[in-house]
Amino acid sequence: MGANDELIIDLFTSREIITHDQAEEASRYAKEKDVTFIEALDELGVMPENKALMLVASEYGMDTFDLSDYTIPPEVVQLIPPDVARRYKIVPLFKADDQLVVGMSDPTDLETLDALRHIISHDVEGAVVSKKQLKEALNFHYGSMEESVNTFLEDITEGVVDVSEKTAMDDVYGDETSTTEEDAPIIRLVSLIILEAFKNRASDIHLEPLEKRFRVRYRIDGVLNEVESPPRYLQNNILSRVKIMSKLDISEHRIPQDGRIQISAMGRELDLRVSVIPTTHGESIVMRILDKSSVMLGIAELGFLSDDQEVITRILSMPDGLFLVTGPTGSGKTTSLYAFLNTINKPTTKIITVEDPVEYEMSGINQVQVNSSIGMTFSNALRAMMRQAPNIIMVGEIRDLETGEIAINAAQTGHLVFSTLHTNDAPSAVSRLVDMGVKPFLVASSVKAIMAQRLVRQICSKCTEEYEPDITQLDALNLPHDYFAGNKLVKGKGCADCKDGYKGRIGIFEIFVIDEATQQLIYEGVSASKTRRHARSIGMRTLREDGLRKVINGMTTLEEVVRVTASDEMDEFESA
């Protein structure tokens, strides 16, 4: 039924235009067939649609308008942008003096007229047209939804994705029992946007309303790439479809919302974490693609070289203590933690995690979702977890003093604890904990190792070619111009498999194992710079040095190391 059908029912029954029995029958029919009350009256033979519209229009001081033999002037059509016409389901009819008359099928929708007066800065009045004529006029003057979407699909799928692969598409559609034939093109379009992102190994999909266009971008290997974007007037339909899939409130446009989509695509189980935020020109949506298969990574697949693998294996075999992974947002900290848990996940070990949110579900591990709105905070969850007698605990992030103290207490009472911090390098994590208010002696006695990391793009193995390092890049890294003498550096030249010479990402790491001398420095409360110098003296490689080793090993390029370690400083250089 229509949004304001109750008003029409009251009008017709109170004036005895129809009987109460006829109203009830038409109401049931409208709900069953998903049509308006006036359409139901017409289809049931109770009253012709044009007569019913005339009665309602008269009640609201409007005229009816027949579009069958009328041609809307092109200059009038241009007064209403396509996205506005489709959003409010109106067509401009004619202009008299400074007043624009628009056709609408629901004369009770006075809010639409108010909105139009604000949007186009004209005095707007309504005239009632049939729903069928309105739809035909919208399609004729602004292009049909089906035609627009199909044209766009043809453009972006040529040689890329076969949209006739029904099994893959149906998996993304999900349960569509409540959708109509008119919705189908948008469902197909959103499904294809998601499939294209997955096929191109994107980690995020960005749907961004701009002033004059609607932009779609994929983040591939950490770099945003703009792709062919749909027409702007499809913007609201696309955003609404994503919100429906995420089980969000499609009527709310003023506040941020977060949701989740769980789908199967091309035989893979995917989770999409959806973030919606209002912007100047509409709601911006980012969908983070979480591929469940990525939690099955091993340590070697993260990008560790053999010597660092041995160090990590020793850390993971510790009976207790706190192991911190640091780095900015998007540096792969969660992926590393899951890979570590996957490595030590055994039937004889009880592992509990507390996360916000739980990004990946892992078999054999007890995972707890933080929900601050009901009091399930990191600290409360940690207290409860301690009564579960776990062997290993993972805390998604240490955000405050209370969480830090509980995690450290767990590390001192026979538990191996993993967690993350937002610091730029490994030694700075010590100062961060102390700055939070954790006592230095607790930090010194509980923290066993700290690892900082970044992600760099990996060279495509199918199109490598040798190259000479650029002097400007060497200068940017403060490297001697002969630093790579005797080494053959390679890069990807770009091929059908990778397009830009890179395929996938690996980590570069800075592993700081706490020794007795380090513990003494923490007791004394020395500065982060002194702690860092000591870490270097006992063999800690910096992020940049590890990156340079991977350049020499043909895993990444000098350009990538410059990009992700631009702010790092090195005290000395060592040949790998």
Side-chain angles (χ1 to χ4, degrees), residues 76-88:
V76 174
V77 174
Q78 294 174 1
L79 294 175
I80 302 289
D83 59 321
V84 173
R86 288 198 173 279
R87 185 191 318 168
Y88 292 102

Side-chain angles (χ1 to χ4, degrees), residues 201 221 458-460 462 497-498 500-505:
R201 301 176 292 101
D221 294 336
Q458 191 169 11
I459 297 169
C460 174
K462 296 184 178 179
D497 198 45
C498 68
D500 59 359
Y502 298 101
K503 187 172 182 180
R505 288 188 291 176

Side-chain angles (χ1 to χ4, degrees), residues 47-80:
M47 182 187 301
E49 182 180 11
N50 59 349
K51 181 180 178 181
L53 285 173
M54 190 177 299
L55 290 169
V56 179
S58 176
E59 180 68 19
Y60 284 86
M62 294 185 191
D63 294 323
T64 56
F65 201 92
D66 185 2
L67 287 172
S68 56
D69 294 320
Y70 179 71
T71 301
I72 304 173
E75 63 272 16
V76 174
V77 174
Q78 294 174 1
L79 294 175
I80 302 289

Side-chain angles (χ1 to χ4, degrees), residues 205-492:
I205 304 169
H206 295 251
L207 307 178
E208 302 167 319
L210 305 178
E211 182 179 5
K212 295 182 179 180
R213 64 192 183 100
F214 179 57
R215 182 169 65 182
V216 178
R217 294 193 288 177
Y218 297 156
R219 188 180 296 278
I220 302 172
D221 294 336
V223 178
L224 279 171
N225 296 267
E226 186 168 349
V227 298
E228 186 74 25
S229 299
R232 192 179 189 279
Y233 64 81
L234 297 179
Q235 167 184 313
N236 292 314
N237 302 80
I238 293 171
L239 299 181
S240 294
R241 171 60 189 163
V242 173
K243 290 172 74 174
I244 289 170
M245 293 176 72
S246 312
K247 297 179 174 58
L248 300 177
D249 184 356
I250 63 172
S251 66
E252 180 58 72
H253 306 286
R254 302 163 299 171
I255 60 175
Q257 297 187 71
D258 293 307
R260 199 157 195 159
I261 302 172
Q262 293 184 318
I263 58 174
S264 296
M266 301 172 69
R268 301 275 284 277
E269 293 294 322
L270 301 179
D271 273 355
L272 280 76
R273 201 168 71 204
V274 181
S275 171
V276 182
I277 187 169
T279 64
T280 305
H281 303 291
E283 291 177 294
S284 174
I285 293 183
V286 175
M287 292 182 277
R288 174 92 180 271
I289 301 175
L290 305 173
D291 183 358
K292 292 183 179 180
S293 64
S294 66
V295 302
M296 304 308 293
L297 292 176
I299 295 175
E301 293 167 290
L302 296 176
F304 289 102
L305 296 177
S306 57
D307 53 351
D308 283 342
Q309 284 187 50
E310 292 176 3
V311 175
I312 292 297
T313 300
R314 287 200 306 272
I315 294 171
L316 297 182
S317 63
M318 294 188 302
D320 54 33
L322 178 60
F323 179 27
L324 294 171
V325 180
T326 76
T329 301
S331 59
K333 299 187 299 294
T334 301
T335 301
S336 293
L337 286 177
Y338 275 117
F340 298 155
L341 292 181
N342 185 52
T343 301
I344 58 180
N345 184 15
K346 299 175 183 177
T348 55
T349 303
K350 185 177 180 71
I351 302 175
I352 304 181
T353 74
V354 53
E355 306 168 63
D356 182 20
V358 174
E359 293 193 359
Y360 303 97
E361 294 181 8
M362 296 186 70
S363 176
I365 292 179
N366 302 275
Q367 295 173 273
V368 178
Q369 169 76 54
V370 167
N371 188 345
S372 299
S373 63
I374 60 172
M376 178 62 87
T377 61
F378 273 109
S379 54
N380 289 339
L382 269 170
R383 288 193 187 94
M385 285 164 54
M386 295 298 291
R387 295 191 290 271
Q388 294 281 312
N391 301 108
I392 297 169
I393 295 171
M394 187 189 89
V395 184
E397 182 183 350
I398 295 178
R399 300 180 177 180
D400 52 43
L401 173 60
E402 189 176 15
T403 305
E405 287 181 335
I406 298 171
I408 284 175
N409 180 62
Q412 291 183 317
T413 53
H415 304 87
L416 180 58
V417 181
F418 298 91
S419 191
T420 69
L421 273 178
H422 285 282
T423 61
N424 288 329
D425 61 8
S428 296
V430 172
S431 301
R432 178 81 177 101
L433 288 173
V434 173
D435 290 343
M436 279 185 184
V438 180
K439 297 293 189 294
F441 74 89
L442 291 175
V443 176
S445 60
S446 60
V447 178
K448 303 299 183 184
I450 306 167
M451 182 181 81
Q453 69 175 76
R454 301 289 190 277
L455 293 176
V456 293
R457 290 184 290 174
Q458 191 169 11
I459 297 169
C460 174
S461 60
K462 296 184 178 179
C463 60
T464 57
E465 61 179 4
E466 292 186 17
Y467 76 102
E468 290 294 325
D470 191 323
I471 291 177
T472 58
Q473 292 175 345
L474 293 172
D475 290 340
L477 294 169
N478 296 320
L479 292 175
H481 291 180
D482 61 351
Y483 183 81
F484 292 105
N487 295 295
K488 294 181 179 179
L489 304 189
V490 297
K491 65 179 181 179

